[in-house]
Amino acid sequence: MNAPPGKDIWRSPIRGAWLTSILGLVLLVGLPVLFLTGLLSYAAYDPALGGRFNDPTPGKGILGFYLFEWPTRPAWLFWLTQGIHVIGGLMLVPVLLAKLWSVIPKLFALPPVRSLAHLLERLSLLLLVGGGIFVFVTGILNIQYVYVLPAGFYASHFYGAWVFVAALALHVILKARTMVTALRSRSIWNELRTGLADTRPEPADATGLVSTVPAEPTVSRRGALGFVAAGSALLALLSAGQTIGGPLRRLAVLAPRGGAEGPGPNDFVVNKTAAYRRITPAQTGPSWRLDLRGFESVSLSRSDLLALTLHSERLPIACVEGWTTVQTWTGVRLADLAALVGVREATGVAVESLQRGGGFGSANLAGNQVRDLRSLLALRVNGADLSLDHGFPARIIVPNTPGVHCTKWVSRLTFWT
């Protein structure tokens, strides 16, 4: 049976409130997890430490109400939360696309506005759909190191997430009863046992999702859900390796920091190379000095640093793009360097790099990060001197700290109390 010209062009017989509600339920479980891990990621940047160093979202106002001193223990916490955020976000992409497909008749319904209440609902949908697409697209672009937003990724993603979550909360309030009714209308276990031959349209209802002239089914609801689940699993498989490491890293073909790492002491993933940051061997040669400031000022060569008491720690570097690497670092404790300039109980340190340009050439670290005895100014990695790309002559390594704050090519440390 053909649809009348210009009417009911969305004829899939599997569309309906039940399928939309199942997909919505998955998103309702997954999206709050992404939002929470995203907020934790923002807290890990310690924007309360202030200024242009740590806070890429100026004017956050009340949106920063939850901020707290980011802990250094366990050392793998940021690795875990950011891994969940990135991998979980990618896994939800097929679910989000399927959800948009399932409600597309509503997006093009005529007339576009029937009442004031309907207008408010349409506006909430605009923020919900637009915000969801914006947040997911900006997140994926960041994973791939594509920066095209004039306001920058961090500010855009942060504010976009709040708009999206606010619209999601309103949408859930408006649609909760419809969703519960739809989910109770049929058993998911029965649907998962229903093949193509037995697939029938849902009964027509007030949602407007069920076609009045449904076409013959080409896929069952079981098949559609299986296709979405397979897509999510495939995205996880092709991206999780850069976070998990080990043999899975070879499968991370969708991740810029996937692939094999190799056997060398310095042969592991690097974010920005020395050439990219315009660091030259002349800057890091024999004339390099580390400038320490506190109650006193001290200037140390690399040989001076190597003559101090050295410590080794096996710690991860985890980055907001989702990749992680775990190595054994050797260097001088930040607490010992603070003591050299008379700061016995440091409440923070400003770290400055030789690099010029870029968003994270400097960082502020909190007092608990300085005082943690595993926090190092690293000089070596895996028993070898740092390579230039990994921050030679010295770099910061702090447990449970975003990789961008493990500053490379350090030139100055200013401790305060």
Side-chain angles (χ1 to χ4, degrees):
M1 180 178 182
N2 294 325
K7 295 184 179 180
D8 206 358
I9 61 175
W10 316 107
R11 300 182 58 206
S12 172
I14 66 171
R15 274 199 189 93
W18 183 85
L19 181 63
T20 295
S21 297
I22 286 292
L23 296 169
L25 182 61
V26 176
L27 291 173
L28 193 57
V29 171
L31 289 174
V33 173
L34 296 188
F35 185 58
L36 175 61
T37 52
L39 293 182
L40 290 175
S41 175
Y42 184 62
Y45 278 71
D46 275 327
L49 289 173
R52 56 190 174 85
F53 292 163
N54 285 40
D55 193 354
T57 56
K60 59 188 173 296
I62 62 172
L63 299 182
F65 70 93
Y66 67 94
L67 295 175
F68 54 93
E69 185 176 67
W70 186 248
T72 58
R73 298 174 184 270
W76 42 261
L77 180 61
F78 184 76
W79 176 7
L80 174 66
T81 59
Q82 196 57 32
I84 291 173
H85 188 74
V86 171
I87 299 171
L90 290 172
M91 291 181 68
L92 284 184
V93 168
V95 185
L96 180 66
L97 293 176
K99 178 69 159 55
L100 291 176
W101 172 86
S102 74
V103 299
I104 199 169
K106 297 283 287 183
L107 301 180
F108 293 92
L110 295 175
V113 177
R114 297 190 298 270
S115 65
L116 178 60
H118 189 236
L119 173 62
L120 294 176
E121 181 184 346
R122 300 288 283 182
L123 289 175
S124 73
L125 281 177
L126 176 64
L127 293 176
L128 180 67
V129 175
I133 292 174
F134 178 83
V135 170
F136 274 82
V137 168
T138 54
I140 292 170
L141 289 177
N142 181 65
I143 294 170
Q144 299 297 326
Y145 295 91
V146 178
Y147 305 111
V148 295
L149 296 169
F153 164 73
Y154 295 94
S156 300
H157 199 66
F158 180 76
Y159 294 126
W162 277 105
V163 171
F164 173 56
V165 167
L168 177 64
L170 177 59
H171 185 70
V172 170
I173 292 171
L174 293 173
K175 297 296 184 181
R177 179 176 296 181
T178 300
M179 180 179 178
V180 171
T181 301
L183 291 174
R184 288 176 174 175
S185 67
R186 55 183 63 206
S187 166
I188 187 172
W189 307 116
N190 289 339
E191 287 297 328
L192 293 179
R193 290 194 293 266
T194 301
L196 179 62
D198 297 318
T199 297
R200 300 289 184 270
E202 293 184 41
D205 57 20
T207 65
L209 297 174
V210 180
S211 173
T212 57
V213 281
E216 290 297 318
T218 56
V219 64
S220 64
R221 293 181 185 84
R222 175 181 66 184
L225 292 175
F227 183 75
V228 171
S232 295
L234 182 62
L235 286 174
L237 181 65
L238 298 181
S239 60
Q242 72 166 351
T243 298
I244 299 173
L248 283 179
R249 189 174 290 275
R250 297 178 181 273
L251 298 177
V253 297
L254 296 183
R257 297 299 183 259
E261 292 183 350
N266 275 272
D267 196 359
F268 56 92
V269 65
V270 64
N271 197 340
K272 297 296 188 293
T273 64
Y276 183 86
R277 289 303 186 199
R278 299 181 181 179
I279 302 296
T280 65
Q283 293 175 285
T284 59
S287 63
W288 174 85
R289 293 293 185 274
L290 175 68
D291 183 16
L292 294 179
R293 296 184 181 182
F295 291 120
E296 305 170 20
S297 295
V298 174
S299 180
L300 300 175
S301 68
R302 196 168 190 277
S303 297
D304 294 332
L305 289 167
L306 288 169
L308 298 175
T309 302
L310 301 181
H311 302 270
S312 293
E313 300 289 346
R314 187 161 179 83
L315 295 171
I317 292 180
C319 279
V320 70
E321 296 87 4
W323 64 265
T324 301
T325 184
V326 184
Q327 309 297 331
T328 300
W329 311 90
T330 300
V332 184
R333 287 172 173 165
L334 293 183
D336 292 344
L337 294 174
L340 280 179
V341 291
V343 183
R344 296 291 176 181
E345 291 294 328
T347 57
V349 61
V351 184
E352 299 176 57
S353 171
L354 292 171
Q355 82 173 56
R356 296 295 177 263
F360 295 98
S362 302
N364 290 333
L365 300 177
N368 65 320
Q369 294 172 314
V370 177
R371 295 189 296 270
D372 192 302
L373 297 183
R374 298 167 299 167
S375 298
L376 304 175
L377 180 74
L379 307 170
R380 293 173 176 160
V381 62
N382 299 324
D385 286 343
L386 293 168
S387 69
L388 191 59
D389 282 342
H390 283 297
F392 182 88
R395 70 169 299 164
I396 294 293
I397 296 295
V398 174
N400 193 38
T401 296
V404 291
H405 287 173
C406 292
T407 308
K408 298 190 288 187
W409 313 296
V410 175
S411 61
R412 179 178 296 164
L413 299 175
T414 302
F415 297 93
W416 66 80
T417 185

